[in-house]
Amino acid sequence: MRARMADIAKQAQVSEATVSRVINDRPGVSAETRQAVLTALDVLGYERPERLRKRSAGLVGLVVPELDNPIFPAFAQVIESTLAQHGYTPVLCTQSPGGVTEDEYVEMLLDRQVSGIVFISSLSADTTSDRSRYQRLLDRPLPIVLVNGYAAGLEAPFVSCDDRLAGDLAVTHLVALGHRRIGLISGPNRFINTQRKLEGYRAALRRETGASDAELDDWTSLTLFGVEGGEVAAERLLARGVTGMICASDMMALGAIRAARRRGLRVPEDVSVIGFDDSALIPFTDPPLTTLRQPVISMAVAAVRSLVDEINGHGAPHSEYLFHPELVVRNSTAIAPVRTGVPVATPAA
């Protein structure tokens, strides 16, 4: 084996240690050097280890956090159909509480020798998570694309909806309707999407109304994603006298409407609610929801094209593509009510 390692190293003009790293599929070797070693194996007539053989043509991993929120099946459907047009078959990996984790799914996909992976709202969006899991994939090298999961420092294509602009558009709409006490409901602050929506919301409300930092803190309610989280957060904001609520998802907005009705408030006559995503059934809610629409088709097509370019060796730009959300005005927002006896804002607990 030592003689063969020396022959391969000489043919590829690299060290034996580098040959060992390539043969054992370890990181720390550039794509060019890895290819040189593989070519040396072929030229000298050695059989490549099974793990280094050509990846299964046509298989692409698609990892989504869940399917309960309709926006994720919407992304999955467009990505699957677009992959099919390029000759690829998706392997859908859906996470669930207590089920298979993202890392476990990735190991399964690697065992199947997929050509690449598309991640939707993955752990990369969590600023406290270990991003090295993605760097290890890039070091293999394996093409990946991350949708709504930007992580600084990773040399990969990112496709994101502009969350800062979403926060700004929602505030501007409510201010135009006469609202001044406007709350924001979102998920935990460790997520990059939450941080960006907060930035857009705070900057716009300062600009439009001169709101103080104390007021902005008091009108921000971070909770768990989902209907139940939106309901709990809305209870807090309604107790603080807000007349408008901006929610980080349509599911959270539906929870906010439920909380308002439990208090005997009408939407939109007494309180306005804005969602985010605009999945297929949202126009048919009661009332039809004003929301920020993610351009799902454009984002999904861009993600697939970037991945296919990476797979084919064309090298998609390793940067973040920001897509603009669209404000879709329906019946859950209206002119601000005239209120008396509004409670004085107090710092949030």
Side-chain angles (χ1 to χ4, degrees):
M1 182 62 187
R2 174 58 66 122
R4 282 185 289 171
M5 292 274 282
D7 291 341
I8 296 166
K10 182 178 179 181
Q11 177 69 30
Q13 298 183 346
V14 297
S15 68
E16 289 185 36
T18 298
V19 172
S20 176
R21 282 198 292 273
V22 173
I23 290 176
N24 291 289
D25 202 20
R26 291 174 182 162
V29 181
S30 70
E32 294 78 7
T33 301
R34 186 181 298 273
Q35 188 57 51
V37 172
L38 295 177
T39 301
L41 281 169
D42 298 338
V43 169
L44 295 173
Y46 296 127
E47 186 176 352
R48 294 188 185 188
E50 187 173 349
R51 69 174 73 87
L52 298 179
R53 292 173 192 167
K54 183 174 176 60
R55 295 189 178 100
S56 299
L59 286 186
V60 168
L62 175 55
V63 182
V64 298
E66 48 146 313
L67 294 179
D68 292 338
N69 186 333
I71 196 63
F72 297 127
F75 269 112
Q77 182 177 19
V78 180
I79 289 173
E80 286 179 347
S81 62
T82 309
L83 282 170
Q85 293 170 15
H86 288 274
Y88 292 91
T89 302
V91 180
L92 181 62
C93 301
T94 305
Q95 301 169 66
S96 60
V100 180
T101 66
E102 181 180 310
D103 290 336
E104 290 169 337
Y105 271 130
V106 168
E107 287 303 315
M108 293 179 192
L109 293 171
L110 294 178
D111 288 342
R112 285 163 176 76
Q113 297 284 294
V114 294
S115 299
I117 304 176
V118 178
F119 293 92
I120 301 177
S121 298
S122 62
L123 289 172
S124 62
D126 186 341
T127 58
T128 65
S129 71
D130 182 6
R131 273 79 175 275
S132 66
R133 53 171 55 89
Y134 304 104
Q135 189 59 54
R136 287 192 293 272
L137 295 176
L138 295 171
D139 290 339
R140 291 183 71 92
L142 181 76
I144 64 173
V145 175
L146 298 109
V147 178
N148 284 333
Y150 178 73
L154 287 179
E155 290 295 319
F158 297 92
V159 175
S160 306
C161 189
D162 192 336
D163 290 293
R164 292 188 187 90
L165 179 59
D168 189 301
L169 288 172
V171 167
T172 303
H173 173 62
L174 289 177
V175 169
L177 292 172
H179 295 270
R180 293 297 180 269
R181 302 176 67 86
I182 300 169
L184 176 71
I185 296 174
S186 189
N189 195 45
R190 67 179 186 272
F191 293 105
I192 186 68
N193 315 76
T194 295
Q195 294 174 10
R196 288 175 167 182
K197 283 188 179 75
L198 266 171
E199 290 171 11
Y201 158 80
R202 294 175 72 94
L205 208 49
R206 285 195 196 99
R207 182 189 69 232
E208 299 292 336
T209 70
S212 67
D213 287 343
E215 288 173 320
L216 293 170
D217 291 341
D218 202 42
W219 298 338
T220 299
S221 190
L222 303 184
T223 181
L224 299 176
F225 287 109
V227 173
E228 294 78 12
E231 187 174 358
V232 170
E235 285 283 359
R236 300 188 199 121
L237 294 182
L238 291 170
R240 294 166 189 168
V242 302
T243 64
M245 293 185 286
I246 301 166
C247 303
S249 75
D250 292 334
M251 297 298 98
M252 300 181 94
L254 296 181
I257 291 173
R258 182 194 292 176
R261 286 177 172 162
R262 190 167 55 243
R263 281 177 162 259
L265 299 174
R266 299 164 301 164
V267 178
E269 292 85 355
D270 300 313
V271 61
S272 290
V273 178
I274 297 180
F276 179 82
D277 283 335
D278 196 34
S279 51
L281 296 178
I282 292 306
F284 307 103
T285 57
D286 179 25
L289 188 66
T290 295
T291 189
L292 279 304
R293 175 184 293 158
Q294 288 203 68
V296 171
I297 294 177
S298 299
M299 292 173 66
V301 169
V304 171
R305 285 179 177 170
S306 296
L307 187 75
V308 171
D309 282 347
E310 290 279 294
I311 292 171
N312 292 334
H314 300 318
H318 295 165
S319 55
E320 184 179 26
Y321 301 88
L322 278 178
F323 287 76
H324 287 193
E326 177 189 355
L327 177 67
V328 181
V329 179
R330 299 194 180 100
N331 296 352
S332 67
T333 53
I335 294 173
V338 177
R339 286 194 181 178
T340 59
V342 174
V344 177
T346 57

